[in-house]
Amino acid sequence: IDEHKLSTSSFRRHSLGETLESSIEGFHFNNAADRSLIRLTFDESEPYFGSDVLLRYVIFNLLKNALYYKHRTDFQIDIKLVIGDEFNSIFVEDTGPGIDSENIENIFSDFYTSGKKGGFGLGLPFCRKVMKAFKGTIVCKSEVNKGTQFELRFPKYESERVFSLKSSVVKDKSLLYLG
């Protein structure tokens, strides 16, 4: 998937909080114990402009990657929605093995995998492309033996970035009038 070929025709206003909740509830957990490893916290929600389906797939990918290490002692996934002045962020943090500095620069490259069996190296590049299509970013911070944190950063709904995205979406629309 190329962010320039990613269809924005379905982009509209959604709630970050509602999309997060539906992502966690819609995720296919292997068992109920896996669900108990996730803590979602937010005090308030804000709108974002994009596709709730695409954002759910981003969250699904981050959960799947983190849950690979669920057998570690005291494993936990914390998901926080933080409302900021310039942007809003979703933080997905786990207590897995972490990613060493040599590999962290490559994790968003297509077909790059490290430390896991059965992966194709397409999940994190997909996440980056979706966030770029939303005019946002995804950043990873990690420390070996401490865990990994991903930050999904969204422009404010009223921002110039979202206004330009909305304008481009409207330009790409077609209208068929039958009279």
Side-chain angles (χ1 to χ4, degrees):
I1 183 169
D2 178 21
E3 65 269 10
H4 300 293
K5 294 178 184 172
L6 185 67
S7 175
T8 58
S9 64
S10 66
F11 281 20
R12 64 181 185 84
R13 180 184 174 122
H14 295 281
S15 163
L16 283 169
E18 287 176 16
T19 303
L20 272 176
E21 289 174 331
S22 68
S23 297
I24 294 169
E25 294 310 312
F27 185 77
H28 177 71
F29 293 100
N30 290 333
N31 55 58
D34 288 357
R35 172 59 182 96
S36 68
L37 297 171
I38 299 171
R39 282 190 308 221
L40 171 63
T41 56
F42 64 94
D43 294 327
E44 60 181 303
S45 183
E46 284 231 344
Y48 71 99
F49 189 73
S51 165
D52 61 337
V53 172
L54 289 175
L55 181 54
R56 269 187 290 212
Y57 282 122
V58 168
I59 299 300
F60 288 172
N61 184 75
L62 295 176
L63 289 175
K64 180 187 70 69
N65 287 349
L67 286 168
Y68 183 85
Y69 302 103
K70 67 184 178 183
H71 300 294
R72 289 177 56 98
T73 305
D74 298 325
F75 181 82
Q76 182 72 42
I77 300 172
D78 288 307
I79 302 174
K80 285 190 279 190
L81 171 57
V82 178
I83 305 304
D85 293 332
E86 296 179 38
F87 51 85
N88 301 314
S89 294
I90 295 172
F91 293 92
V92 179
E93 187 170 1
D94 67 63
T95 55
I99 305 167
D100 64 43
S101 58
E102 292 175 14
N103 291 322
I104 203 161
E105 293 181 25
N106 299 313
I107 62 172
F108 294 108
S109 299
D110 287 337
F111 305 110
Y112 181 83
T113 62
S114 174
K116 292 188 333 189
K117 295 188 191 304
F120 296 102
L122 296 173
L124 289 175
F126 169 78
C127 294
R128 175 183 262 172
K129 291 168 186 172
V130 168
M131 289 307 297
K132 191 172 183 182
F134 290 176
K135 299 290 187 200
T137 59
I138 181 171
V139 180
C140 178
K141 295 178 185 172
S142 187
E143 195 172 332
V144 174
N145 295 321
K146 297 227 175 170
T148 303
Q149 179 190 74
F150 286 92
E151 179 185 3
L152 307 173
R153 190 178 280 186
F154 299 82
K156 298 293 265 188
Y157 188 78
E158 305 81 16
S159 71
E160 185 61 39
R161 292 178 109 182
V162 171
F163 179 77
S164 70
L165 179 57
K166 288 180 192 176
S167 296
S168 69
V169 168
V170 169
K171 286 178 192 172
D172 292 341
K173 298 271 184 192
S174 298
L175 176 66
L176 174 62
Y177 175 74
L178 301 172

